Amino acid sequence: MRTILINCTKIIRFMRTIIEPFRIKSVEPLHFTTPQQRKTALEKAYYNTFLLHADDVLIDLLTDSGTSAMSSEQWAAIMRGDESYAGSSSFFKFEEAVRDITGMPYIIPTHQGRASEKILFSIVGGAGKVFLSNTFFDTTRANIEFSGAKAVDLVCEEGKHPLISAPFKGNIDLVALERAIEEHGVGNIPLVMLTITNNSGGGQPVSMENIRATRAICDRYGLPLYIDACRFAENSYFIKIREEGYRNIPVKEIAQEIFSYADGCTMSAKKDAFANIGGFLAMKDLPLALKCRNLLVITEGFPTYGGLAGRDLEAIAVGLHEILEEDYLAYRIRSIEYLTEKLAAADVPVMQPAGGHAVYLDAATFLPHIPLAQYPGQALVTALYLEGGIRSVEIGSLMFGKYDAAGELIPAALELVRLAIPRRVYTQSHIDYVAEVIIEVFKKKQELKGLKIIHETELLRHFTARLAPIE
Ligand code: F0G
């Protein structure tokens, strides 16, 4: 891998190769399958890779959530977990780690990100309310809508074009934000939320300038600003390498500056905390925190454990420290960029620039001969599995498509396939293999056929839909 950087990498800055900044102490075998076995497994799963058995997958890029490899320090911390029902010492370590980065006084542990969202939006949401964001992640949107409120995405123009490169495609459109505040009325907007990085928009970062400007708009209207902080460290690192004035600032300080502009945050510790489970909700507003804690006790658990075991709190506390190590972040961001570059060099239509946690293929451009109503994204997902046992996920019309009154598909705005890279799990040769498989499929793309849905549910159909190939 070529070095992009800089003063944070101590020895490797003199070398062109960025190596994995860890060595392997414990290994898990991969499961190899024959093409015939994959064909049978896919048929049994009705061409929906969510329905595959994980043992039938060779390289699992379904998600970067909860799939990180924990460090020896995290495993050691797990053994120190204090499982006291109340006042566990593990909670205080967790609380200190979260407070150190976010500066938030009130910290509420939850079992994962969506539990934080459920608690927050059950309290501040409700019919007639409107929430504004760069882009709400699906579970965030679902929790807002479940409360009866409306969720509005206002990502900047560059963020809507997968193949156009820009440094901060996750930014919120500031003009559209002010317009939306005026249109919906300040009194109906409980808060504005920035998702960093913008997962649904391709893991693209939000700049500090944009966060600061959003804060200024919120101040002008007296609105709270919340952060969906799942990938805060990756976003902070992008600010370091792409935004003027941050090159020499430690990533931790960049993260602290981001949170200093916020009134609160939701977090899934399954991403940028290297934990297999966990999350939190944090805020500056005491009356709101008390209401959230009440709901926490009913739905998650006592305030010093939330939905977690003491050992999980320990793993998160250590993970939050490790995620801000700059050698790790240099390797992390570079490995996503490396895969993106390899694909782009073979003319594979891949989202530009590389995001922080995943590589996104533009399936509509990859497979122009498959109409959107025949789900080219899912066709590509199944082809990657058949070719090389790689599991990816469609983020297109299977996930977001709707039907019009005549039952015709209204396709999603973008037809993407996401290959999310678990943290510290796969090595460069695994990534080389992934590139080889994708390029192989690209070479025979004309042979790929579309799919039709034969069974679906009303909500979140992509998880359970059954499909069949169109011959
Ligand atoms: N917000 C963002 C930006 C996310 O990416 C996710 C999860 C959540 C909130 C919810 O967190 O899973 O802990 O409840 N994203 C995963 C993914 C599922 O695959 O992108 P959770």
Side-chain angles (χ1 to χ4, degrees), residues 145-216:
E145 290 175 354
F146 190 70
S147 82
K150 198 173 159 184
V152 180
D153 292 341
L154 301 165
V155 77
C156 65
E157 189 54 36
E158 308 90 272
K160 296 175 190 161
H161 305 280
L163 304 180
I164 293 174
S165 191
F168 291 104
K169 288 169 78 173
N171 282 354
I172 193 167
D173 179 336
L174 297 164
V175 175
L177 174 62
E178 284 216 66
R179 205 184 306 126
I181 296 172
E182 296 288 347
E183 184 193 326
H184 297 288
V186 179
N188 297 319
I189 303 172
L191 57 87
V192 173
M193 184 172 242
L194 288 175
T195 308
I196 67 168
T197 57
N198 183 11
N199 182 9
S200 312
Q204 299 292 329
V206 180
S207 72
M208 193 72 88
E209 189 186 9
N210 192 255
I211 297 170
R212 224 180 278 125
T214 306
R215 172 77 262 171

Side-chain angles (χ1 to χ4, degrees), residues 63 112-114 117 137 139 199 228 230-231 268 271 418:
T63 180
Q112 63 184 81
R114 69 198 72 182
E117 295 160 6
F137 181 66
T139 58
N199 182 9
D228 176 337
C230 295
R231 300 180 180 85
S268 165
K271 285 88 173 173
R418 183 183 81 170

Side-chain angles (χ1 to χ4, degrees), residues 270-470:
K270 299 172 74 174
K271 285 88 173 173
D272 272 359
F274 291 125
N276 299 128
I277 196 72
F280 57 83
L281 174 60
M283 59 192 63
K284 293 178 178 164
D285 176 340
L286 177 60
L288 179 58
L290 293 176
K291 283 189 199 160
C292 291
R293 278 206 183 116
N294 264 337
L295 200 49
L296 182 86
V297 173
I298 300 168
T299 59
E300 293 278 297
F302 189 76
T304 59
Y305 71 84
L308 296 170
R311 55 180 171 268
D312 300 323
L313 295 166
E314 294 269 351
I316 295 168
V318 176
L320 283 173
H321 171 71
E322 290 179 354
I323 200 82
L324 291 166
E325 283 170 8
E326 304 203 359
D327 289 341
Y328 161 74
L329 284 165
Y331 138 81
R332 169 75 174 162
I333 299 304
R334 178 62 196 143
S335 46
I336 313 287
E337 191 183 53
Y338 171 79
L339 179 55
T340 302
E341 277 172 11
K342 276 202 141 187
L343 297 175
D347 293 326
V348 175
V350 60
M351 181 180 282
Q352 298 283 2
H357 67 294
V359 169
Y360 292 72
L361 305 177
D362 181 351
T365 310
F366 198 115
L367 298 171
H369 63 285
I370 301 183
L372 294 177
Q374 295 180 12
Y375 304 104
Q378 189 63 15
L380 181 52
V381 165
T382 56
L384 297 178
Y385 176 70
L386 285 174
E387 184 71 28
I390 296 168
R391 176 153 71 169
S392 54
V393 65
E394 190 254 23
I395 304 194
S397 299
L398 179 60
M399 194 179 268
F400 294 123
K402 301 226 155 52
Y403 294 112
D404 66 13
E408 295 294 316
L409 179 81
I410 308 168
L414 294 174
E415 200 65 24
L416 302 174
V417 167
R418 183 183 81 170
L419 299 121
I421 314 292
R423 294 169 183 78
R424 303 193 293 209
V425 171
Y426 294 115
T427 63
Q428 186 172 349
S429 53
H430 292 122
I431 299 297
D432 286 338
Y433 170 82
V434 170
E436 191 181 333
V437 170
I438 296 170
I439 292 166
E440 226 17 71
V441 171
F442 188 59
K443 281 188 200 148
K444 47 182 161 186
K445 60 187 174 158
Q446 286 304 336
E447 294 167 27
L448 268 59
K449 300 218 168 70
L451 294 162
K452 61 181 177 207
I453 295 178
I454 54 174
H455 167 82
E456 62 185 301
T457 52
E458 201 181 324
L459 288 175
L460 299 173
R461 65 176 180 173
H462 56 284
F463 288 127
T464 52
R466 294 178 173 187
L467 298 103
I470 296 171

